[in-house]
Every structure is written in structure tokens, then in C-alpha cells.
Amino acid sequence: MFNRRYVRKEAQLRRQCEEQLRGIEISDPDAVDEICRQLALKRGRPLHLHELPDMGGVNAPCGLMIAFDSGDHIFHVAATSERHRAQIVRHELAHLLLGHASENTSIVESLLSIMPQGVDPSAVLTALGRTSYDSETEYDAEMAASSLGDLFEELAHSGRASAMTRLDDALVHPRRDRRS
């Protein structure tokens, strides 16, 4: 039997993501690069995708989100399938859309230690990286990431429908009212 608390939580997370995505149009629900460009435009803030340096180890994160004053950066492991890459990016996007902030300064420091030279730790507003689902923040982000997959599908299909509607409106006879 399902737990109603989790069902309500999932619905709440989905609503939060829907609100953040309102007004975004995408054509391919799996094109995370396009989705990130659209989110950056909507948020008025740069959003960059990067491959994560190979750190090895069992506890190495497969994704990171680091926010600076100048923009947000999402890192994903390089050696993975496109499907897994998309889920990692959706997870990190969920952190952004849900407004998650760093919870543990030692984790932030360890995440920043693997970043390329020139990253000033004092310039980081927040940093999140997942190695497990032990915290509520990580669990929520993963649940929201799954909802984002569904929402991106819906956005892609609604975009096609809206494009067809616009095309139909453009081709209708100028003197004939379509609604009659």
C-alpha cells in the first residue's frame, strides 16, 4: 500500500516545478542542453552544463550543482548513457527549481576541492552533490527529477500542439471565422 504522505509530497514537488517551468517551450524532452538554455532565459541567469572530472571512488558524486553570483553550473559524469546523463541533469535542475541550498559545509568544501583551478570557494553561493539519498533534500530532488521528466514530455507535446494551432491560425481564410 502506498503512503499518502509521499503521494502528497510528490504532488507538492511537481507543482513547484510546474510553476518554475511555466512559459517554457521545448521541442525535445530529452534535450537537456535545450532545456537548460530555456531555463536560463526564463530565470534571467546563465546556466552551464559541464562534464565532471573523473574522480573515481564509490562515494564520488555523479552530479553537482554549484551556484555563483554570475550563474549556475551543473556538472555530470562523462562516462554514462544519455538517459542517465539526462536524469543526473534533471536531479540537479530540481535542486535549482526547488531552491535548495547547501546543508553541510564540509560536503561543500569537499565538492569544491575537485573543481578546476580558478574556482574561488568564497564566490560560491551554494553547492550540492549527490552521493546518496540520505538527506530529505536529495530525496526530494530525485523525486522532483522524475516529475521533471514527465513535465518535459508534456511541454514538448504542448509545444507541438501550439505550433500546429499557430500554423492553422495563419492558414485560415481571412474572411472566415474558424469558430463558426
Side-chain angles (χ1 to χ4, degrees):
M1 183 165 159
F2 63 90
N3 187 324
R4 289 183 186 183
R5 186 181 84 170
Y6 291 112
V7 171
R8 282 193 304 271
K9 178 71 168 184
E10 185 174 18
Q12 173 196 5
L13 293 168
R14 182 183 169 98
R15 280 191 304 275
Q16 286 179 267
C17 291
E18 284 175 336
E19 177 64 32
Q20 295 294 317
L21 295 173
R22 190 165 288 131
I24 289 177
E25 291 185 17
I26 60 171
S27 59
D28 181 355
D30 298 317
V32 291
D33 298 305
E34 175 192 355
I35 292 164
C36 288
R37 278 192 299 278
Q38 291 294 325
L39 274 172
L41 288 172
K42 179 175 177 14
R43 297 172 73 231
R45 187 175 163 77
L47 176 58
H48 307 280
L49 288 177
H50 310 278
E51 287 186 351
L52 195 60
D54 183 20
M55 297 171 283
V58 175
N59 291 325
C62 58
L64 297 171
M65 187 282 295
I66 301 179
F68 295 91
D69 281 334
S70 59
D72 302 312
H73 297 262
I74 291 177
F75 294 81
H76 58 84
V77 291
T80 192
S81 68
E82 280 301 309
R83 183 179 216 165
H84 188 221
R85 175 183 180 257
Q87 182 65 14
I88 293 166
V89 172
R90 284 192 302 264
H91 177 97
E92 302 308 328
L93 286 173
H95 282 305
L96 283 176
L97 297 176
L98 297 174
H100 290 164
S102 308
E103 297 173 340
N104 184 329
T105 56
S106 66
I107 291 174
V108 172
E109 289 170 8
S110 67
L111 293 175
L112 294 176
S113 70
I114 63 167
M115 293 288 75
Q117 294 293 341
V119 174
D120 177 10
S122 67
V124 173
L125 299 176
T126 192
L128 293 157
R130 170 175 45 102
T131 56
S132 70
Y133 299 105
D134 292 347
S135 75
E136 186 174 349
T137 299
E138 290 302 322
Y139 183 81
D140 287 355
E142 191 62 20
M143 197 180 311
S146 295
S147 289
L148 283 175
D150 295 339
L151 290 170
F152 293 157
E153 283 282 339
E154 292 169 18
L155 283 171
H157 292 303
S158 72
R160 282 193 281 274
S162 116
M164 290 304 291
T165 301
R166 289 192 305 269
L167 180 61
D168 186 41
D169 287 344
L171 296 176
V172 73
H173 190 280
R175 294 185 188 239
R176 191 177 309 153
D177 184 359
R178 290 181 37 201
R179 292 170 198 83
S180 54

